Amino acid sequence: MLAKRIIPCLDVKDGTTVKGVNFTNLKDAGDPVALGKRYCDEGADELVFLDITASYEKRKTFANMVMRVAENINIPFTVGGGISSVEDVERLLEAGADKVSINSAALKNPNLIDEIARNFGNQVCVLAIDAHCFDNEWICYINGGRIATHRKLFEWAREGQERGAGEILFTSMDHDGVKNGYACEALHELSESLAIPIIASGGCGAKEHFLKAFKYGNADAALAASVFHFNEIKIRDLKEYLKDNDVNVRL
């Protein structure tokens, strides 16, 4: 069995790491370069950097910031925000990213998934999906959770896999920042219907939430932000807890 991955997430706005609740009320969480280095040193398996207002502000991800983070870490590094073309992907890979996360642009132009997979390989393309649950139906959102689309979570995730996405990064907007746990039922359904890895995102507030995402949600990786940024959970302590509860992690 592959080891489960622990992934800190740097949501970056105006050059600083931020964290909010339900995608709003953002507060400063520190310098992304320093945080990235800290998480690498503490034993994170991967790092995700999301320029959270790039799509909304119709601009490209800050490649110089990506380069500075990449220079200070030696773990896989995923970058997202404002990516809408193969040229954008190439620029970020050259800056030091190992993978790219696409969200809004893929919903607007699904062929982008095919193009990235064809040019760089499936392993480079992470399809990020922000979704909100209405009447037991998960609806996909774009532009940092600002605009609802007509697409539904499960059918869009399946289409993403068919087009060549290597992983699905699913964020529950309902759970984001609330710290009551991940959307484990939706995670479980995704894991049952897809062959590619699922990354859980949104709602972690305790070690038990990671455990449930892995054991019940069957997630392949769990992403979190504020519990790491504000030292509520130490990565080493978390991994030892998971290992003690029969979850395969890298120590």
Side-chain angles (χ1 to χ4, degrees):
M1 183 187 295
L2 291 175
K4 303 292 189 179
R5 291 170 286 151
I6 301 299
I7 307 177
C9 181
L10 307 176
D11 291 326
V12 178
K13 182 179 186 293
D14 300 329
T16 191
T17 308
V18 295
K19 187 57 192 148
V21 176
N22 303 134
F23 283 41
T24 61
N25 300 320
L26 302 177
K27 64 178 180 178
D28 191 335
D31 173 57
V33 178
L35 284 173
K37 184 177 187 309
R38 187 183 108 197
Y39 296 141
C40 180
D41 294 343
E42 289 178 356
D45 296 296
E46 298 187 17
L47 186 69
V48 168
F49 173 108
L50 299 177
D51 190 338
I52 60 171
T53 57
S55 293
Y56 175 68
E57 295 172 359
K58 296 182 172 59
R59 61 170 173 77
K60 305 302 181 185
T61 300
F62 295 124
N64 60 338
M65 177 68 77
V66 171
M67 189 178 300
R68 288 174 57 214
V69 174
E71 287 172 349
N72 285 274
I73 64 174
N74 59 8
I75 54 177
F77 183 30
T78 300
V79 176
I83 298 168
S84 59
S85 69
V86 167
E87 291 74 23
D88 292 338
V89 176
E90 190 166 23
R91 180 171 53 88
L92 292 170
L93 294 179
E94 288 175 354
D98 299 291
K99 311 176 196 177
V100 295
S101 168
I102 54 172
N103 188 336
S104 301
L107 279 160
K108 294 172 185 175
N109 173 26
N111 287 328
L112 180 61
I113 302 171
D114 306 69
E115 292 170 7
I116 294 172
R118 185 168 56 250
N119 282 275
F120 306 104
N122 304 65
Q123 77 285 351
V124 167
C125 185
V126 178
L127 179 60
I129 304 176
D130 298 332
H132 185 20
C133 191
F134 294 100
D135 298 324
N136 295 316
E137 191 79 78
W138 287 91
I139 307 298
C140 301
Y141 276 66
I142 60 172
N143 289 13
R146 292 174 176 83
I147 302 172
T149 71
H150 68 284
R151 302 304 301 263
K152 309 292 175 49
L153 168 63
F154 301 108
E155 55 92 3
W156 173 230
R158 285 192 293 270
E159 181 177 337
Q161 174 180 264
E162 290 163 6
R163 287 181 175 274
E167 294 181 280
I168 300 294
L169 168 53
F170 163 55
T171 301
S172 165
M173 295 171 60
D174 304 281
H175 294 71
D176 177 71
V178 179
K179 298 187 178 181
N180 287 332
Y182 296 99
C184 288
E185 289 185 11
L187 286 168
H188 184 81
E189 187 169 342
L190 283 169
S191 72
E192 288 290 302
S193 62
L194 300 176
I196 57 177
I198 309 299
I199 305 170
S201 171
C204 179
K207 296 174 188 176
E208 293 79 11
H209 298 154
F210 287 92
L211 182 64
K212 190 174 180 182
F214 292 137
K215 290 273 195 173
Y216 177 71
N218 203 28
D220 300 277
L223 178 149
S226 59
V227 292
F228 296 142
H229 299 340
F230 303 119
N231 291 307
E232 295 166 25
I233 297 176
K234 297 287 189 182
I235 293 173
R236 180 76 187 189
D237 293 344
L238 170 61
K239 286 191 167 187
E240 290 176 349
Y241 165 80
L242 292 170
K243 194 170 186 66
D244 289 343
N245 284 276
D246 302 316
V247 175
N248 182 23
V249 292
R250 296 183 192 90
L251 285 172

